[in-house]
Amino acid sequence: MKTAAVILAAGQGTRMKSALPKVLHQAAGLPLVAYPIRAARALNCDPVVVVVGHGADAVTAAARASWPQVRTALQKEQRGTADAVRCALGELGDADRVLILYGDCPLFTAATLGRLIARVEKARAALGVITAVMPDPTGYGRMVRNAAGLVVGIVEHKDCTDAQRTIREVNSGIYLVDRAFLVDALTRVGTGNSQREFYLTDIIRMAADKGAVADLPVPAEEMAGVNNRADLAGAEGVLWERNRRAALEAGASLRDPPSTFIESTVTVEGDVTLGHGVMLGGNTVVRAGARVDGPSVIIDSDVAAGAHVKSFSHLEGARVGARALVGPYARLRPEAVLEEEVHVGNFVEVKKATLRRGAKANHLSYLGDATVGEKSNVGAGTITCNYDGYGKYLTDIGRDVFIGSDSVLVAPLKIGDGAYVAAGSVVTDDVPANALALGRGRQVNKDGRAEQVRAEAKQRAGRK
Ligand code: UD1
Ligand code: CA
């Protein structure tokens, strides 16, 4: 059986009060629309079709970023959920059945959707639907059952009789439908309801008339759709919690789970330790045995096995090699590459620079557009002058080099292997291998002159 997924995402989401289409709002590092795409992919649904309308181009781009092979179907006017599914019928390929998901319901897991598929297969039903019992069912379609307890239809909140409005079992809007049945049923959906819309829920009654409808009840939490900002915050909270649990299950230790935030795109391996207030985002991978002390922020970075990132560090687009030591108070910017056993200490900023194996920059430095060779030592306060206001230039430091404290390295510049730069130098010319570079004023000492200088200073200040 081949299953296609159709994800409805054409609506605007007025209640978000946002210029951004609702399904592009972020939750735990991904736009809402990415979650059903990921779930559909995990179930090997193919094709995955996203129905777009409001903000079609932006929604299409976000969907493709999630999975490049995703298909889209345009629903120009939002005339109801049945109309939206109808728009996708031309994109279903050779699928035998269709899983219908919503772009604004990020909490359905592949596991739950898999159970819906199993239910439908067991019941040999033309249609299956996920339901939940809600403490407050306002706004949802209600599940209508017959005396035998079988689902016979769904009535929208606005179309309910007073008696139906008391039903607390609601429609999630997630269905698995036999394709042939769906195609036929959609031709028979009309707009005879209070909203003059094509309701997809009408096909449940049609399926019930034909035979049994399979239903899968789930906890209310998993059903939560996002209609406003409060819903978004609530759904995101659930996703953060799930991601923490996934890290714990992968074998990571979280010193303080409530203050640990792991985006849905992050990989955390076993024996990783995350401290208080660690935030991991984007395509970050923290590999086996690495330790990150909090508070720290790590985005789009790769932290290798056994590395240790100390508190108050900020990493973005960086690679930290095995057993490297970073921070406290380090800042690694895009294309910072630290090879194995590199040390980058407090108040060191690294941008587009490679520190080769065992290199050290332990205090107060800026290393931009640079390479630092194996085992070289960059002294406190060293600055690469990589920018002249117009262009960026490289500083290439060889291996076993010693850069004295407070040196200014004016790029383009090459410092050969084994060279030594005296503290406080301004280095503008290349330094040959094994040379000593001195680029500072010569020191003179004047014996006894301190007393005279003090006297002059007192006089200037008008004091005795
Ligand atoms: C729908 C169900 C309701 C269910 C609820 C669960 C119908 C008629 N009602 O109601 O039974 O309890 O979901 O959340 O189906 N969309 C389009 N094009 C359209 C209309 C909607 O793409 O023309 C998309 C929306 O962007 C949204 C989803 O479909 O992602 C659901 O639409 P929405 O209008 O929110 O349906 P509800 O009224 O919530
Ligand atoms: Ca809704």
Side-chain angles (χ1 to χ4, degrees), residues 79-167:
R79 300 192 297 163
T81 43
D83 180 64
V85 174
R86 208 181 282 141
C87 291
L89 291 181
E91 298 291 338
L92 298 180
D94 58 353
D96 309 294
R97 57 191 185 189
V98 185
L99 180 63
I100 298 170
L101 306 170
Y102 288 174
D104 58 2
C105 293
L107 300 182
F108 286 100
T109 61
T112 295
L113 299 173
R115 284 198 288 137
L116 175 67
I117 293 172
R119 276 269 152 117
V120 167
E121 284 176 353
K122 194 162 169 225
R124 296 174 180 278
L127 186 147
V129 55
I130 295 180
T131 70
V133 174
M134 299 293 252
D136 175 13
T138 307
Y140 286 96
R142 307 298 207 279
M143 303 306 300
V144 182
R145 291 177 183 270
N146 64 15
L150 297 174
V151 172
V152 292
I154 294 173
V155 187
E156 289 306 292
H157 181 86
K158 287 183 178 145
D159 302 300
C160 278
T161 63
D162 286 346
Q164 286 167 334
R165 207 154 280 169
T166 64
I167 299 173

Side-chain angles (χ1 to χ4, degrees), residues 1-4 44-47 92-98:
M1 278 285 233
K2 277 198 73 180
T3 310
N44 294 316
C45 292
D46 194 15
L92 298 180
D94 58 353
D96 309 294
R97 57 191 185 189
V98 185

